Amino acid sequence: MLVPVLLALVSGCAETQIDTTYGRIAGRSVNGTGVFASLLRDEGHEVRAARRLNEELGDWAETIVRFLPEPGIVSQEEADWYFDWQMEGDGRRLILVCRDGSAEAEYWQGALEALPEDAPEQQRDRIEEKLTRASDWGSEGPPPGFQAADPDYWFRFDEETGGADPSVSLGGPWSEGIDPKAAALPLHRALEVSSPAEAALLTGDDDRVIVMDWSWDDPIDGGDPSAVLVVANGSFLLNAAVVPHARRPLTMKVAEWVGSTPRKVAFVEGSFLLGAESSMPTPWQVIRQVPELGIVAGHFLMLALIAALAHAVILGRPRAAPFSGADRPRMHAEALGNLLSRIGSDRAARSLLTTYRRWRRPQAHDDHPRIDGP
């Protein structure tokens, strides 16, 4: 199932208009998560997308996957919800994928390399421009007013900031069998192991941590503890990032971390997950969120307008049709007589009219006088 999804994603690699929406299952965005979600479904898990952190989600989900929409650590309010959710049940898993770059630059690089030599120069220039803009994306801090979770309680980043070059070496238990050069994992901001409970699963150059996990304290009854997996970026989880074959074993490692038995997995999407429930969005708001619906709605409106005009009431007085005399038998004979007269058959025309008149009014042309009485 994974291969068809990847082929559908890269089938238009020479196009200059692509979807770059970050962290959504739906659609064919290069920065989407649909490929990873399909992989979990293939492993037998039940996967859904969620937009709210509420009681209904907490009761249903056994694993939550969260691609953070902004650079930096998770917010304090969101982290508190995750902690309470994990403490309320055994074996609950949380996967946090930090936002540090995107797969767009790699997509355009692949599109540029896939162009044939005889491709139009204008198309090549457009792709190079897209590549330059995508490469300019850098790791930034959280937005103003953002209250980050306590790094001592959750996780923190190291102070070193890497360059744009991918890691030339990989370490940790997850690096076994992975070719670092073929995987070419970019790493701008690495994670920092600051607690004995945290275990580095994958490291890059200079032992900078790319993936780590930890478990919360064991429950009182000795059940399966809840655990957290943190990934420094989506370099092997985003749709276009999974295309290189050397990265797919790492994607499988994350899927295996979820568990071998079927679980209920929720992909939490969006920026506003907590607070009061929002009202039902208006059609205009839905169209703004999904621009493709605007095209469909425009076609329906045009068809509705054409149908309304076709059934509209015609105003004004209708003009009467010209009188043809088709309902008067006499007119037929006269028309035939005129036709015979035009072709030089006057005698035949007069004979025809006389015959018609005698048939029409026989008493007026009776040659024998009527005798009254015996």
Side-chain angles (χ1 to χ4, degrees), residues 191-229:
L191 303 170
E192 179 180 319
V193 176
S194 57
S195 169
E198 298 171 346
L201 302 178
L202 182 67
T203 60
D205 296 341
D206 301 326
D207 294 329
R208 303 180 70 213
V209 179
I210 302 176
V211 183
M212 70 177 185
D213 73 343
W214 73 84
S215 299
W216 301 109
D217 294 337
D218 293 340
I220 298 177
D221 57 2
D224 184 20
S226 297
V228 180
L229 178 75

Side-chain angles (χ1 to χ4, degrees), residues 284 287 290-306:
W284 174 246
I287 291 176
V290 186
E292 291 80 3
L293 292 179
I295 301 176
V296 178
H299 282 79
F300 274 108
L301 289 176
M302 184 62 67
L303 292 175
L305 179 60
I306 294 174

Side-chain angles (χ1 to χ4, degrees), residues 6 13 30 34 45 64 69 71 92 103 107 129 144 148 183 190 218 224 277 298 321 324 343 364:
L6 295 177
C13 60
V30 294
H45 303 295
I64 289 181
R92 293 184 172 180
Y107 176 89
E129 181 183 358
D218 293 340
D224 184 20
E277 294 286 348
S324 63
I343 62 176

Side-chain angles (χ1 to χ4, degrees), residues 150-298:
D150 186 356
D152 294 331
Y153 203 73
W154 285 86
F155 64 92
R156 66 174 71 245
F157 298 99
D158 65 9
E159 297 180 357
E160 181 182 358
T161 301
D165 297 332
S167 297
V168 297
S169 63
L170 295 175
W174 280 18
S175 65
E176 184 177 355
I178 306 297
D179 182 0
K181 184 177 180 180
L185 297 180
L187 181 61
H188 302 104
R189 299 177 61 187
L191 303 170
E192 179 180 319
V193 176
S194 57
S195 169
E198 298 171 346
L201 302 178
L202 182 67
T203 60
D205 296 341
D206 301 326
D207 294 329
R208 303 180 70 213
V209 179
I210 302 176
V211 183
M212 70 177 185
D213 73 343
W214 73 84
S215 299
W216 301 109
D217 294 337
D218 293 340
I220 298 177
D221 57 2
D224 184 20
S226 297
V228 180
L229 178 75
V230 183
V231 186
N233 53 48
S235 59
F236 52 86
L237 292 173
L238 297 174
N239 285 344
V242 188
V243 173
H245 189 273
R247 296 179 180 177
R248 297 179 197 174
L250 295 175
T251 311
M252 291 298 302
K253 292 287 187 182
V254 180
E256 293 170 358
W257 187 90
V258 173
S260 57
T261 58
R263 298 172 65 90
K264 298 176 181 178
V265 182
F267 278 67
V268 178
E269 303 174 352
S271 300
F272 305 99
L273 306 177
L274 298 164
E277 294 286 348
S278 58
S279 58
M280 182 68 68
T282 63
W284 174 246
Q285 291 174 333
V286 174
I287 291 176
R288 291 185 62 183
Q289 294 177 359
V290 186
E292 291 80 3
L293 292 179
I295 301 176
V296 178

Side-chain angles (χ1 to χ4, degrees), residues 96-109:
L96 296 175
V97 182
C98 302
R99 181 165 187 179
D100 187 19
S102 68
E104 184 180 359
E106 292 184 337
Y107 176 89
W108 291 123
Q109 183 63 44

Side-chain angles (χ1 to χ4, degrees), residues 49-64:
R51 294 278 183 157
R52 306 289 296 179
L53 297 179
N54 51 29
E55 183 177 354
E56 180 182 359
L57 174 64
D59 293 338
W60 181 84
E62 297 171 321
T63 298
I64 289 181

Side-chain angles (χ1 to χ4, degrees), residues 35-89:
V35 173
F36 182 49
S38 298
L39 176 60
L40 293 178
R41 291 191 180 99
D42 293 342
E43 294 296 315
H45 303 295
E46 182 179 356
V47 179
R48 297 181 183 178
R51 294 278 183 157
R52 306 289 296 179
L53 297 179
N54 51 29
E55 183 177 354
E56 180 182 359
L57 174 64
D59 293 338
W60 181 84
E62 297 171 321
T63 298
I64 289 181
V65 181
R66 174 60 163 160
F67 283 73
L68 299 175
E70 302 291 344
I73 195 173
V74 64
S75 70
Q76 182 64 61
E77 188 178 16
E78 187 175 343
D80 290 342
W81 191 95
Y82 292 143
F83 179 78
D84 294 339
W85 168 73
Q86 289 195 289
M87 293 298 101
E88 291 175 357

